[in-house]
Amino acid sequence: MTYDPSNIFGKILRGELPAHKVYEDDTALVMMDIFPQSRGHTLIVPKAASRNLLDADPATLAAVIPLVQRVARAAKAVTGADGVRVAQFNEAPAGQTVFHLHFHVIPAYDGVPLGAHAGGKADDAELIALAKDIAAAL
Ligand code: 5GP
């Protein structure tokens, strides 16, 4: 399988589609997931083109994991979550729906089951507020 630049995250990285951006540098974009599995569900998207972990350059992975850790800490602090799930899916049978490498940071709350993967759309105002708060806590 080869990388197809027409995927949604490729379009967001090129500025062709909007996003609730939390953070951006030369190597990665961090944004809110618009169909969150919990309050504060955030995505870390390396800018280098790869479908997923399987075809990624190890240098890309080495650069992005510290950012995943920063986002996990910030999202947990901002939301008051009791834990954080970090997830990453490779190809459709494993649950991948957008074929540009990304990592999920999903805050988890005591007694609250996580929502469905890519389920209901979140309220824009809430995503804007969360993006601002997580950015400030990074
Ligand atoms: P995957 O299933 O590929 O690991 O995750 C893709 C994620 O992207 C899902 O959690 C889904 O909710 C999210 N998603 C799908 N379309 C969009 C979009 O247009 N913008 C954002 N920010 N997230 C999206």
Side-chain angles (χ1 to χ4, degrees):
M1 295 283 226
T2 54
Y3 179 78
D4 177 354
S6 68
N7 72 82
I8 292 170
F9 293 171
K11 290 180 179 170
I12 290 172
L13 288 172
R14 292 191 298 274
E16 296 165 12
L17 287 175
H20 303 90
K21 291 186 186 179
V22 172
Y23 173 83
E24 184 168 17
D25 64 19
D26 289 346
T27 62
L29 171 70
V30 181
M31 63 184 171
M32 304 312 298
D33 194 306
I34 57 169
F35 305 106
Q37 286 183 259
S38 72
R39 190 170 65 86
H41 186 165
T42 308
L43 299 169
I44 298 90
V45 186
K47 290 188 174 176
S50 72
R51 281 176 68 83
N52 53 44
L53 186 87
L54 301 174
D55 62 334
D57 183 334
T60 299
L61 302 176
V64 78
I65 289 298
L67 181 58
V68 172
Q69 182 191 42
R70 281 176 65 197
V71 172
R73 286 174 169 166
K76 183 174 183 294
V78 161
T79 58
D82 302 294
V84 182
R85 178 177 293 184
V86 173
Q88 190 279 317
F89 305 99
N90 300 285
E91 301 301 336
Q96 187 175 9
T97 58
V98 178
F99 296 93
H100 181 115
L101 175 64
H102 55 279
F103 293 81
H104 298 256
V105 161
I106 309 173
Y109 305 88
D110 275 344
V112 182
L114 293 180
H117 183 53
K121 189 170 181 303
D123 176 62
D124 268 330
E126 188 182 12
L127 293 181
I128 289 166
L130 280 163
K132 184 166 167 275
D133 290 349
I134 296 171
L138 271 180

PDB file of all heavy atoms in Angstrom, residues 8-9 12 31-35 41 43 89 95-98 102 104 117-118, ligand 1:
ATOM      1  N   ILE A   8      -7.733  12.903   4.393  1.00  0.00           N
ATOM      2  CA  ILE A   8      -8.213  14.092   5.126  1.00  0.00           C
ATOM      3  C   ILE A   8      -7.079  14.805   5.870  1.00  0.00           C
ATOM      4  O   ILE A   8      -7.000  16.041   5.853  1.00  0.00           O
ATOM      5  CB  ILE A   8      -9.315  13.697   6.134  1.00  0.00           C
ATOM      6  CG1 ILE A   8     -10.572  13.249   5.397  1.00  0.00           C
ATOM      7  CG2 ILE A   8      -9.674  14.864   7.060  1.00  0.00           C
ATOM      8  CD1 ILE A   8     -11.605  12.624   6.321  1.00  0.00           C
ATOM      9  N   PHE A   9      -6.203  14.045   6.513  1.00  0.00           N
ATOM     10  CA  PHE A   9      -5.140  14.703   7.286  1.00  0.00           C
ATOM     11  C   PHE A   9      -4.112  15.349   6.355  1.00  0.00           C
ATOM     12  O   PHE A   9      -3.559  16.402   6.682  1.00  0.00           O
ATOM     13  CB  PHE A   9      -4.473  13.727   8.257  1.00  0.00           C
ATOM     14  CG  PHE A   9      -5.374  13.249   9.364  1.00  0.00           C
ATOM     15  CD1 PHE A   9      -4.978  12.228  10.216  1.00  0.00           C
ATOM     16  CD2 PHE A   9      -6.633  13.812   9.569  1.00  0.00           C
ATOM     17  CE1 PHE A   9      -5.815  11.779  11.238  1.00  0.00           C
ATOM     18  CE2 PHE A   9      -7.477  13.371  10.581  1.00  0.00           C
ATOM     19  CZ  PHE A   9      -7.068  12.339  11.414  1.00  0.00           C
ATOM     20  N   ILE A  12      -5.655  18.619   5.618  1.00  0.00           N
ATOM     21  CA  ILE A  12      -5.528  19.539   6.763  1.00  0.00           C
ATOM     22  C   ILE A  12      -4.100  20.069   6.838  1.00  0.00           C
ATOM     23  O   ILE A  12      -3.877  21.282   7.014  1.00  0.00           O
ATOM     24  CB  ILE A  12      -5.948  18.836   8.073  1.00  0.00           C
ATOM     25  CG1 ILE A  12      -7.472  18.602   8.075  1.00  0.00           C
ATOM     26  CG2 ILE A  12      -5.523  19.651   9.297  1.00  0.00           C
ATOM     27  CD1 ILE A  12      -7.993  17.756   9.227  1.00  0.00           C
ATOM     28  N   MET A  31      -4.038  18.400  16.808  1.00  0.00           N
ATOM     29  CA  MET A  31      -5.389  18.967  16.666  1.00  0.00           C
ATOM     30  C   MET A  31      -6.387  18.126  17.446  1.00  0.00           C
ATOM     31  O   MET A  31      -6.123  16.977  17.797  1.00  0.00           O
ATOM     32  CB  MET A  31      -5.797  19.008  15.185  1.00  0.00           C
ATOM     33  CG  MET A  31      -5.892  17.641  14.543  1.00  0.00           C
ATOM     34  SD  MET A  31      -6.272  17.787  12.772  1.00  0.00           S
ATOM     35  CE  MET A  31      -6.044  16.080  12.252  1.00  0.00           C
ATOM     36  N   MET A  32      -7.556  18.714  17.686  1.00  0.00           N
ATOM     37  CA  MET A  32      -8.626  17.976  18.351  1.00  0.00           C
ATOM     38  C   MET A  32      -9.263  17.001  17.350  1.00  0.00           C
ATOM     39  O   MET A  32      -9.410  17.325  16.168  1.00  0.00           O
ATOM     40  CB  MET A  32      -9.707  18.936  18.882  1.00  0.00           C
ATOM     41  CG  MET A  32      -9.206  20.020  19.829  1.00  0.00           C
ATOM     42  SD  MET A  32      -8.120  19.427  21.136  1.00  0.00           S
ATOM     43  CE  MET A  32      -9.222  18.296  22.013  1.00  0.00           C
ATOM     44  N   ASP A  33      -9.630  15.814  17.814  1.00  0.00           N
ATOM     45  CA  ASP A  33     -10.405  14.867  17.003  1.00  0.00           C
ATOM     46  C   ASP A  33     -11.849  15.370  16.980  1.00  0.00           C
ATOM     47  O   ASP A  33     -12.428  15.641  18.035  1.00  0.00           O
ATOM     48  CB  ASP A  33     -10.321  13.465  17.638  1.00  0.00           C
ATOM     49  CG  ASP A  33     -10.805  12.374  16.703  1.00  0.00           C
ATOM     50  OD1 ASP A  33     -11.946  12.478  16.195  1.00  0.00           O
ATOM     51  OD2 ASP A  33     -10.052  11.421  16.476  1.00  0.00           O
ATOM     52  N   ILE A  34     -12.420  15.514  15.776  1.00  0.00           N
ATOM     53  CA  ILE A  34     -13.786  16.082  15.720  1.00  0.00           C
ATOM     54  C   ILE A  34     -14.871  15.044  16.041  1.00  0.00           C
ATOM     55  O   ILE A  34     -16.023  15.405  16.225  1.00  0.00           O
ATOM     56  CB  ILE A  34     -14.110  16.779  14.376  1.00  0.00           C
ATOM     57  CG1 ILE A  34     -13.936  15.847  13.198  1.00  0.00           C
ATOM     58  CG2 ILE A  34     -13.303  18.051  14.209  1.00  0.00           C
ATOM     59  CD1 ILE A  34     -14.504  16.449  11.903  1.00  0.00           C
ATOM     60  N   PHE A  35     -14.495  13.766  16.093  1.00  0.00           N
ATOM     61  CA  PHE A  35     -15.434  12.706  16.534  1.00  0.00           C
ATOM     62  C   PHE A  35     -14.811  12.044  17.768  1.00  0.00           C
ATOM     63  O   PHE A  35     -14.418  10.871  17.727  1.00  0.00           O
ATOM     64  CB  PHE A  35     -15.648  11.670  15.429  1.00  0.00           C
ATOM     65  CG  PHE A  35     -16.096  12.245  14.115  1.00  0.00           C
ATOM     66  CD1 PHE A  35     -15.225  12.331  13.035  1.00  0.00           C
ATOM     67  CD2 PHE A  35     -17.392  12.714  13.945  1.00  0.00           C
ATOM     68  CE1 PHE A  35     -15.631  12.846  11.810  1.00  0.00           C
ATOM     69  CE2 PHE A  35     -17.816  13.242  12.728  1.00  0.00           C
ATOM     70  CZ  PHE A  35     -16.932  13.311  11.661  1.00  0.00           C
ATOM     71  N   HIS A  41     -10.038  14.318  23.420  1.00  0.00           N
ATOM     72  CA  HIS A  41      -9.402  13.419  22.431  1.00  0.00           C
ATOM     73  C   HIS A  41      -8.622  14.267  21.410  1.00  0.00           C
ATOM     74  O   HIS A  41      -9.188  15.089  20.703  1.00  0.00           O
ATOM     75  CB  HIS A  41     -10.496  12.601  21.747  1.00  0.00           C
ATOM     76  CG  HIS A  41     -10.008  11.543  20.802  1.00  0.00           C
ATOM     77  ND1 HIS A  41     -10.827  10.537  20.354  1.00  0.00           N
ATOM     78  CD2 HIS A  41      -8.809  11.329  20.196  1.00  0.00           C
ATOM     79  CE1 HIS A  41     -10.150   9.748  19.531  1.00  0.00           C
ATOM     80  NE2 HIS A  41      -8.916  10.221  19.410  1.00  0.00           N
ATOM     81  N   LEU A  43      -5.254  14.496  18.472  1.00  0.00           N
ATOM     82  CA  LEU A  43      -4.493  13.737  17.472  1.00  0.00           C
ATOM     83  C   LEU A  43      -3.142  14.403  17.229  1.00  0.00           C
ATOM     84  O   LEU A  43      -3.072  15.628  17.090  1.00  0.00           O
ATOM     85  CB  LEU A  43      -5.266  13.692  16.152  1.00  0.00           C
ATOM     86  CG  LEU A  43      -6.644  13.031  16.199  1.00  0.00           C
ATOM     87  CD1 LEU A  43      -7.395  13.290  14.892  1.00  0.00           C
ATOM     88  CD2 LEU A  43      -6.528  11.531  16.448  1.00  0.00           C
ATOM     89  N   PHE A  89      -3.423   3.064  14.890  1.00  0.00           N
ATOM     90  CA  PHE A  89      -3.963   1.939  14.123  1.00  0.00           C
ATOM     91  C   PHE A  89      -3.275   1.817  12.771  1.00  0.00           C
ATOM     92  O   PHE A  89      -2.981   2.838  12.134  1.00  0.00           O
ATOM     93  CB  PHE A  89      -5.469   2.115  13.920  1.00  0.00           C
ATOM     94  CG  PHE A  89      -6.233   2.294  15.205  1.00  0.00           C
ATOM     95  CD1 PHE A  89      -6.609   3.557  15.650  1.00  0.00           C
ATOM     96  CD2 PHE A  89      -6.557   1.204  15.986  1.00  0.00           C
ATOM     97  CE1 PHE A  89      -7.298   3.724  16.840  1.00  0.00           C
ATOM     98  CE2 PHE A  89      -7.250   1.362  17.184  1.00  0.00           C
ATOM     99  CZ  PHE A  89      -7.627   2.611  17.613  1.00  0.00           C
ATOM    100  N   GLY A  95      -8.444  -1.020  12.379  1.00  0.00           N
ATOM    101  CA  GLY A  95      -9.223   0.122  12.842  1.00  0.00           C
ATOM    102  C   GLY A  95      -8.836   1.452  12.228  1.00  0.00           C
ATOM    103  O   GLY A  95      -9.447   2.472  12.538  1.00  0.00           O
ATOM    104  N   GLN A  96      -7.821   1.471  11.352  1.00  0.00           N
ATOM    105  CA  GLN A  96      -7.407   2.749  10.757  1.00  0.00           C
ATOM    106  C   GLN A  96      -8.436   3.213   9.728  1.00  0.00           C
ATOM    107  O   GLN A  96      -8.899   2.431   8.902  1.00  0.00           O
ATOM    108  CB  GLN A  96      -6.029   2.606  10.078  1.00  0.00           C
ATOM    109  CG  GLN A  96      -5.470   3.940   9.597  1.00  0.00           C
ATOM    110  CD  GLN A  96      -4.061   3.836   9.024  1.00  0.00           C
ATOM    111  OE1 GLN A  96      -3.520   2.755   8.826  1.00  0.00           O
ATOM    112  NE2 GLN A  96      -3.465   4.989   8.749  1.00  0.00           N
ATOM    113  N   THR A  97      -8.803   4.497   9.829  1.00  0.00           N
ATOM    114  CA  THR A  97      -9.773   5.061   8.885  1.00  0.00           C
ATOM    115  C   THR A  97      -9.200   6.218   8.081  1.00  0.00           C
ATOM    116  O   THR A  97      -9.725   6.563   7.032  1.00  0.00           O
ATOM    117  CB  THR A  97     -11.039   5.552   9.617  1.00  0.00           C
ATOM    118  OG1 THR A  97     -10.674   6.527  10.595  1.00  0.00           O
ATOM    119  CG2 THR A  97     -11.767   4.396  10.290  1.00  0.00           C
ATOM    120  N   VAL A  98      -8.146   6.859   8.581  1.00  0.00           N
ATOM    121  CA  VAL A  98      -7.474   7.944   7.846  1.00  0.00           C
ATOM    122  C   VAL A  98      -6.029   7.501   7.631  1.00  0.00           C
ATOM    123  O   VAL A  98      -5.301   7.225   8.594  1.00  0.00           O
ATOM    124  CB  VAL A  98      -7.521   9.274   8.629  1.00  0.00           C
ATOM    125  CG1 VAL A  98      -6.776  10.362   7.851  1.00  0.00           C
ATOM    126  CG2 VAL A  98      -8.967   9.702   8.879  1.00  0.00           C
ATOM    127  N   HIS A 102      -0.865   8.898  12.427  1.00  0.00           N
ATOM    128  CA  HIS A 102      -1.263   9.760  13.547  1.00  0.00           C
ATOM    129  C   HIS A 102      -1.369   8.934  14.816  1.00  0.00           C
ATOM    130  O   HIS A 102      -1.553   7.711  14.766  1.00  0.00           O
ATOM    131  CB  HIS A 102      -2.602  10.455  13.258  1.00  0.00           C
ATOM    132  CG  HIS A 102      -3.704   9.516  12.923  1.00  0.00           C
ATOM    133  ND1 HIS A 102      -3.873   8.977  11.672  1.00  0.00           N
ATOM    134  CD2 HIS A 102      -4.690   8.981  13.689  1.00  0.00           C
ATOM    135  CE1 HIS A 102      -4.920   8.173  11.675  1.00  0.00           C
ATOM    136  NE2 HIS A 102      -5.438   8.153  12.895  1.00  0.00           N
ATOM    137  N   HIS A 104      -3.392   8.841  18.634  1.00  0.00           N
ATOM    138  CA  HIS A 104      -4.518   9.332  19.417  1.00  0.00           C
ATOM    139  C   HIS A 104      -4.097   9.492  20.876  1.00  0.00           C
ATOM    140  O   HIS A 104      -3.488   8.579  21.443  1.00  0.00           O
ATOM    141  CB  HIS A 104      -5.666   8.316  19.422  1.00  0.00           C
ATOM    142  CG  HIS A 104      -6.250   8.014  18.083  1.00  0.00           C
ATOM    143  ND1 HIS A 104      -7.457   8.527  17.673  1.00  0.00           N
ATOM    144  CD2 HIS A 104      -5.819   7.234  17.055  1.00  0.00           C
ATOM    145  CE1 HIS A 104      -7.744   8.070  16.462  1.00  0.00           C
ATOM    146  NE2 HIS A 104      -6.760   7.278  16.061  1.00  0.00           N
ATOM    147  N   HIS A 117     -15.157   4.508  18.351  1.00  0.00           N
ATOM    148  CA  HIS A 117     -14.094   5.048  17.497  1.00  0.00           C
ATOM    149  C   HIS A 117     -14.739   5.763  16.318  1.00  0.00           C
ATOM    150  O   HIS A 117     -15.598   5.189  15.640  1.00  0.00           O
ATOM    151  CB  HIS A 117     -13.212   3.891  17.022  1.00  0.00           C
ATOM    152  CG  HIS A 117     -12.038   4.320  16.203  1.00  0.00           C
ATOM    153  ND1 HIS A 117     -11.142   5.262  16.627  1.00  0.00           N
ATOM    154  CD2 HIS A 117     -11.611   3.927  14.989  1.00  0.00           C
ATOM    155  CE1 HIS A 117     -10.212   5.426  15.709  1.00  0.00           C
ATOM    156  NE2 HIS A 117     -10.475   4.635  14.703  1.00  0.00           N
ATOM    157  N   ALA A 118     -14.323   7.044  16.080  1.00  0.00           N
ATOM    158  CA  ALA A 118     -14.885   7.857  15.001  1.00  0.00           C
ATOM    159  C   ALA A 118     -16.423   7.886  15.088  1.00  0.00           C
ATOM    160  O   ALA A 118     -17.128   7.674  14.111  1.00  0.00           O
ATOM    161  CB  ALA A 118     -14.414   7.356  13.632  1.00  0.00           C
TER     162      ALA A 118
HETATM  163  P1  5GP B   1      -7.928   6.284  12.685  1.00  0.00           P
HETATM  164  O1  5GP B   1      -9.176   5.462  12.658  1.00  0.00           O
HETATM  165  O2  5GP B   1      -7.416   6.443  11.275  1.00  0.00           O
HETATM  166  O3  5GP B   1      -6.896   5.824  13.649  1.00  0.00           O
HETATM  167  O4  5GP B   1      -8.344   7.685  13.251  1.00  0.00           O
HETATM  168  C1  5GP B   1      -8.841   8.721  12.490  1.00  0.00           C
HETATM  169  C2  5GP B   1      -9.442   9.690  13.452  1.00  0.00           C
HETATM  170  O5  5GP B   1      -9.693  10.881  12.739  1.00  0.00           O
HETATM  171  C3  5GP B   1     -10.773   9.247  14.060  1.00  0.00           C
HETATM  172  O6  5GP B   1     -10.661   9.258  15.471  1.00  0.00           O
HETATM  173  C4  5GP B   1     -11.775  10.281  13.562  1.00  0.00           C
HETATM  174  O7  5GP B   1     -12.697  10.623  14.561  1.00  0.00           O
HETATM  175  C5  5GP B   1     -10.897  11.453  13.199  1.00  0.00           C
HETATM  176  N1  5GP B   1     -11.355  12.283  12.113  1.00  0.00           N
HETATM  177  C6  5GP B   1     -12.003  11.915  10.991  1.00  0.00           C
HETATM  178  N2  5GP B   1     -12.197  12.980  10.189  1.00  0.00           N
HETATM  179  C7  5GP B   1     -11.644  14.033  10.825  1.00  0.00           C
HETATM  180  C8  5GP B   1     -11.527  15.418  10.470  1.00  0.00           C
HETATM  181  O8  5GP B   1     -11.959  15.888   9.432  1.00  0.00           O
HETATM  182  N3  5GP B   1     -10.888  16.214  11.381  1.00  0.00           N
HETATM  183  C9  5GP B   1     -10.386  15.721  12.560  1.00  0.00           C
HETATM  184  N4  5GP B   1      -9.786  16.595  13.365  1.00  0.00           N
HETATM  185  N5  5GP B   1     -10.486  14.437  12.920  1.00  0.00           N
HETATM  186  C10 5GP B   1     -11.112  13.603  12.046  1.00  0.00           C
END
